[in-house]
Amino acid sequence: MRMSKKNWFGSVRKKLFRSSPTITVLHNNTITTRTSSARQSINNNGRTYFISKEDMAALTIQSHFRGHLARRAFKALKSLVRLQAVVRGACVRRQARIALHCMHALARLQVTVRARQLLSKCNDC
C-alpha cells in the first residue's frame, strides 16, 4: 500500500512536532541536540549555529531530493553508455563487413591474375 504525498507529509509533520521543541547545534562539525530552554552562547574560537527542527527537516528533505536527482542522473548516464556501446558495436560490425568484403575482392583479383598468368604460360608453350 502506497502512502499519498499529503499523508506522508502529515505523518512527518506529526513525528517532527510530537516531542518537546529541541534545537540542534552545529559546532566544529559535531551535532548536539539541546532543548529550547538551554541557550548556547557563541564563543570566539569557533562559530556555533542553532538549527531548529524545521530547518533540520528541510535539510533532510533537500538531501534526499539531491540523492534522488543524483540517482536519476546516474541512471540516464548508464543508459547513455549502453546506447554508445550499441552504436559502437554497430559501427565495428559495419567496419568488419567492409573489411571482409575488401578482402574477398582482393582474393578474387588475385585468383584472376594467377589464372591469367597460368593461361599466358600455357599459350607460350
Side-chain angles (χ1 to χ4, degrees), residues 4-120:
S4 69
K5 290 180 183 179
K6 189 174 181 180
N7 290 340
W8 183 81
F9 281 119
S11 65
V12 169
R13 192 178 308 122
K14 285 176 188 175
K15 288 180 183 178
L16 198 64
F17 293 112
R18 186 182 308 160
S19 61
S20 64
T22 59
I23 296 176
T24 303
V25 179
L26 295 176
H27 180 66
N28 294 335
N29 294 331
T30 59
I31 298 174
T32 58
T33 305
R34 300 176 183 266
T35 61
S36 60
S37 60
R39 301 268 175 162
Q40 174 117 6
S41 63
I42 299 174
N43 55 13
N44 293 332
N45 296 336
R47 294 181 180 166
T48 303
Y49 299 97
F50 291 98
I51 299 177
S52 65
K53 287 183 99 174
E54 293 87 5
D55 292 337
M56 284 301 292
L59 288 173
T60 304
I61 291 170
Q62 287 174 357
S63 65
H64 285 294
F65 185 68
R66 285 189 195 114
H68 165 71
L69 290 179
R71 282 189 297 275
R72 194 166 69 181
F74 181 69
K75 186 177 179 183
L77 184 65
K78 266 178 54 175
S79 64
L80 180 66
V81 168
R82 192 174 297 134
L83 178 65
Q84 283 179 340
V86 167
V87 170
R88 286 179 182 160
C91 290
V92 167
R93 285 191 295 275
R94 186 178 68 232
Q95 287 175 351
R97 189 178 66 239
I98 291 170
L100 193 60
H101 179 72
C102 291
M103 286 174 54
H104 284 304
L106 288 173
R108 285 193 305 267
L109 181 65
Q110 188 178 19
V111 166
T112 305
V113 169
R114 294 269 172 111
R116 284 185 185 172
Q117 287 175 350
L118 286 174
L119 286 174
S120 67

